[in-house]
Amino acid sequence: MKQLFVLFFISLFFFGCKPKVSETPKTTTKTQPFIWEAANVYFMLTDRFYNGNTKNDRNLNRTKEPAKLRGFMGGDMAGITQKIKEGYFDDLGINAIWFSPVLEQIHDSTNEGTGNTYAFHGYWTKDWTQFDPNFGTEADFKELIETAHKHGIRILMDVVMNHTGPVTEKDPVWDNNWVRTAPGCTYKNYDTAVSCTLVKNLPDVLTNSDETVSLPTPLVEKWKAEGRYEQEMKELDEFFQKTGLVRSPKNYIIKWLTDYVRGYGVDGYRVDTVKHVEEGAWNELNKQAKVAFAAWKAANPEAVLDDSDFFMLGELYGYGIDSKRFYDFGDKKVDYYANGFDNLINFQFKYDARKDYETIFSKYDQILHNDLKGKSVMNYISSHDDGDPFDKARTKPYESATKLLLTPGISQIYYGDETKRPLIIEGTNGDATLRSFMNWDMMNDSETKKLLTHWQKLGQFRKAHPAIGAGKHSIISESPYVFSRSFNTDKVVVGLDLPKGKKEINVGNQFKDGTTITDHYSGKTAVVKDGKVSIDSEFSIALLH
């Protein structure tokens, strides 16, 4: 019997498993390494994405009637995790998720002139050391990050250092050696944009102070009531002893924020209100976050995705790629890229997106590979606080996807861009119209499915090919419009506005004659001949590799 098995496997090897010699060379299909400069990021408001745990919907006696779309609606960290597990982000080609802040928010509601509002958005912090029960628990946060990492998805934690939440009956103001409550920002120069409050009743943390201060009285009272005071103080003592930092307001917050990196493996920060905090504070946050990330990697070698460093993305409101390295306050120019940041959100893309493909692509390519070499920008077509997005009425959803996902730089998909979630909601005031609940109910609509497929094909191609976001751009032909991108060994050719049906596409010198390439939009394959390929598909787009 033993001899029969040996003869069987020998015959199987020689006759059944003999490798065939390919007649034509194929392009490499090896997985390209992740790089932040080419990332495809999905951004959602945690409360408005998906309700994964209905048991945490009501907390802290938040029972006052809110204005339309200004109260908690049930979305939570468990909901994000569920959608990761279901493969929603894999299908969309997402390799990084940024979700709105999930730390404990003020307990009461307030009215800033747009109606009674709860802190569903996460930007009104009450306590930086624990999670808000409406968003979930420490276990939920841990599972979200671990699940994302298993899917090759990085996590950008949204962090606030500029201000606490508004003052209410339930949420007292912090001590005056911690915050200022006046003057309001007037934006005439650097000082009137930094040493001031963003809006009325939003206490501004004294991030400029290097004075040694005790903890704010309301926080001490809160921790003592919760039985956490001694443990929190012990951890603070250890942090300040180890780092040698002064016990200033900003350094306390830096300790609290970096705990989430050290303890859970957060891959990067999306930093709120960058221009309202002194750049030295951002440098220190970056430094301590990198130390914390290295410590987490050392403690969790089996969970490390790669050797990427900690990443910092900044929301420098009003910054555009045309400004390149500097933001101009009028009396002073600041290079935030030299002060802790790897990337800044590009508030200009919505205007550039009105131009033709080549004008956008060649401009971004030139700036990113010269003035911003080694850095990048994050492009978006809509967001949670931009009242004038590229396509507010959602009349150009296909164009939005194509331009956003093929433009050099990082792409940021705002939840519902891919499904035409409405951005005009009757009866809302201010930015609430941009923050409706994710339109899962439209997922079975044939038009929504078709649109989502378009976003998925482009997103998956971008994810698989860092050349799209970080590569060198070169036009191959104007009509039909065909271009190439190259990043190290990764080479792609893209055709847009092509004729439907049979089409001949010039691939330049990207692929050698005789190479079999795949159009990842239609799934068709073709062999390069005389520097061209012939693709017969019903689509006007070709994504070639």
Side-chain angles (χ1 to χ4, degrees), residues 299-346:
N300 301 274
E302 74 292 342
V304 175
L305 290 176
D306 56 31
D307 59 359
S308 294
D309 209 342
F310 191 80
F311 185 78
M312 267 181 52
L313 160 71
E315 182 239 1
L316 177 59
Y317 201 87
Y319 169 82
I321 192 171
D322 282 349
S323 298
K324 298 167 184 173
R325 296 281 307 208
F326 293 94
Y327 183 83
D328 191 354
F329 284 91
D331 64 332
K332 179 179 180 179
K333 291 183 179 181
V334 178
D335 180 358
Y336 287 95
Y337 287 108
N339 285 279
F341 291 95
D342 301 289
N343 187 292
L344 296 175
I345 295 173
N346 176 27

Side-chain angles (χ1 to χ4, degrees), residues 224-241:
K224 286 183 176 179
E226 294 169 350
R228 300 195 291 130
Y229 178 74
E230 286 77 13
Q231 179 60 32
E232 293 294 342
M233 288 304 298
K234 179 175 177 288
E235 292 181 16
L236 284 166
D237 290 342
E238 290 172 355
F239 174 79
F240 285 114
Q241 184 176 5

Side-chain angles (χ1 to χ4, degrees), residues 145-197:
I145 294 177
E146 289 178 351
T147 304
H149 284 173
K150 287 176 184 175
H151 285 250
I153 297 171
R154 277 76 179 164
I155 292 296
L156 283 172
M157 184 179 180
D158 202 338
V159 299
V160 181
M161 200 156 82
N162 173 70
H163 54 269
T164 67
V167 180
T168 75
E169 288 182 12
K170 296 181 180 180
D171 309 286
V173 66
W174 284 13
D175 305 30
N176 62 13
N177 60 357
W178 265 83
V179 299
R180 63 169 66 86
T181 54
C185 296
T186 58
Y187 308 105
K188 293 177 181 176
N189 52 33
Y190 180 85
D191 193 53
T192 57
V194 178
S195 303
C196 50
T197 62

Side-chain angles (χ1 to χ4, degrees), residues 2-241:
K2 190 173 182 180
Q3 286 93 335
L4 285 173
F5 270 115
V6 172
L7 286 170
F8 171 76
F9 280 111
I10 290 174
S11 63
L12 188 66
F13 177 79
F14 280 106
F15 301 108
C17 295
K18 190 173 182 179
K20 295 179 180 178
V21 178
S22 177
E23 296 177 4
T24 57
K26 291 184 180 291
T27 54
T28 177
T29 55
K30 73 174 184 178
T31 303
Q32 294 290 332
F34 170 85
I35 59 165
W36 276 107
E37 291 79 12
N40 191 21
V41 179
Y42 195 94
F43 165 43
M44 76 282 278
L45 293 181
T46 307
D47 178 69
R48 301 296 163 86
F49 186 64
Y50 192 75
N51 191 342
N53 179 10
T54 56
K55 293 178 181 178
N56 65 16
D57 290 357
R58 304 286 274 188
N59 290 288
L60 304 172
N61 200 29
R62 289 169 170 154
T63 56
K64 295 177 183 176
E65 186 67 26
K68 189 165 186 177
L69 292 180
R70 290 193 167 275
F72 286 90
M73 296 182 71
D76 46 33
M77 290 185 278
I80 299 171
T81 302
Q82 183 175 327
K83 289 300 174 182
I84 297 173
K85 290 179 178 178
E86 289 175 5
Y88 185 77
F89 301 106
D90 296 332
D91 291 344
L92 200 53
I94 299 301
N95 50 18
I97 291 175
W98 150 30
F99 51 91
S100 59
V102 291
L103 302 184
E104 186 176 358
Q105 301 294 292
I106 62 169
H107 293 183
D108 211 347
S109 59
T110 189
N111 189 339
E112 294 183 309
T114 50
N116 192 41
T117 306
Y118 279 105
F120 69 89
H121 46 66
Y123 296 102
W124 290 347
T125 315
K126 181 181 181 74
D127 187 342
W128 272 270
T129 66
Q130 64 181 14
F131 299 98
D132 194 281
N134 271 85
F135 302 133
T137 64
E138 178 184 4
D140 292 330
F141 187 73
K142 185 173 187 287
E143 185 184 10
L144 196 169
I145 294 177
E146 289 178 351
T147 304
H149 284 173
K150 287 176 184 175
H151 285 250
I153 297 171
R154 277 76 179 164
I155 292 296
L156 283 172
M157 184 179 180
D158 202 338
V159 299
V160 181
M161 200 156 82
N162 173 70
H163 54 269
T164 67
V167 180
T168 75
E169 288 182 12
K170 296 181 180 180
D171 309 286
V173 66
W174 284 13
D175 305 30
N176 62 13
N177 60 357
W178 265 83
V179 299
R180 63 169 66 86
T181 54
C185 296
T186 58
Y187 308 105
K188 293 177 181 176
N189 52 33
Y190 180 85
D191 193 53
T192 57
V194 178
S195 303
C196 50
T197 62
L198 280 177
V199 295
K200 188 178 180 181
N201 194 30
L202 193 67
D204 185 68
V205 176
L206 299 176
T207 48
N208 61 317
S209 172
D210 289 317
E211 176 188 346
T212 296
V213 297
S214 300
L215 286 168
T217 305
L219 194 60
V220 171
E221 293 174 351
K222 179 178 183 293
W223 285 355
K224 286 183 176 179
E226 294 169 350
R228 300 195 291 130
Y229 178 74
E230 286 77 13
Q231 179 60 32
E232 293 294 342
M233 288 304 298
K234 179 175 177 288
E235 292 181 16
L236 284 166
D237 290 342
E238 290 172 355
F239 174 79
F240 285 114
Q241 184 176 5

Side-chain angles (χ1 to χ4, degrees), residues 471-496:
K472 200 77 185 70
H473 171 86
S474 181
I475 185 171
I476 294 175
S477 73
E478 286 185 23
S479 184
Y481 180 58
V482 181
F483 66 86
S484 67
R485 299 268 172 86
S486 303
F487 181 80
N488 296 337
T489 60
D490 188 31
K491 298 178 184 294
V492 299
V493 170
V494 176
L496 301 174

Side-chain angles (χ1 to χ4, degrees), residues 305-469:
L305 290 176
D306 56 31
D307 59 359
S308 294
D309 209 342
F310 191 80
F311 185 78
M312 267 181 52
L313 160 71
E315 182 239 1
L316 177 59
Y317 201 87
Y319 169 82
I321 192 171
D322 282 349
S323 298
K324 298 167 184 173
R325 296 281 307 208
F326 293 94
Y327 183 83
D328 191 354
F329 284 91
D331 64 332
K332 179 179 180 179
K333 291 183 179 181
V334 178
D335 180 358
Y336 287 95
Y337 287 108
N339 285 279
F341 291 95
D342 301 289
N343 187 292
L344 296 175
I345 295 173
N346 176 27
F347 288 84
Q348 179 186 325
F349 182 73
K350 61 180 183 177
Y351 304 118
D352 288 332
R354 298 171 186 170
K355 300 167 185 173
D356 65 88
Y357 294 120
E358 180 58 21
T359 299
I360 304 168
F361 299 162
S362 59
K363 169 185 171 176
Y364 278 56
D365 174 72
Q366 198 278 327
I367 295 175
L368 290 172
H369 290 283
N370 290 282
D371 300 89
L372 292 181
K373 189 174 179 61
K375 302 291 184 178
S376 192
V377 296
M378 175 184 275
N379 306 312
Y380 71 87
I381 57 162
S382 73
S383 80
H384 63 316
D385 57 8
D386 190 330
D388 183 31
F390 170 63
D391 180 28
K392 192 168 186 177
R394 301 291 202 193
T395 59
K396 298 178 281 190
Y398 287 88
E399 180 185 344
S400 294
T402 305
K403 285 182 173 175
L404 176 66
L405 296 177
L406 294 180
T407 294
I410 295 181
S411 53
Q412 174 229 289
I413 300 173
Y414 183 46
Y415 76 108
D417 281 344
E418 74 278 23
T419 55
K420 282 179 65 175
R421 180 179 63 84
L423 298 175
I424 301 173
I425 309 293
E426 294 299 322
T428 59
N429 281 312
D431 51 23
T433 191
L434 307 169
R435 303 174 175 188
S436 61
F437 207 84
M438 180 65 175
N439 57 331
W440 299 109
D441 56 333
M442 291 175 62
M443 287 298 184
N444 291 324
D445 175 77
S446 60
E447 282 301 310
T448 304
K449 283 183 176 179
K450 183 180 175 185
L451 174 63
L452 181 58
T453 299
H454 178 68
W455 281 85
Q456 289 171 338
K457 288 177 179 179
L458 288 168
Q460 288 178 27
F461 194 67
R462 168 180 263 270
K463 177 182 178 181
H465 298 288
I468 293 294

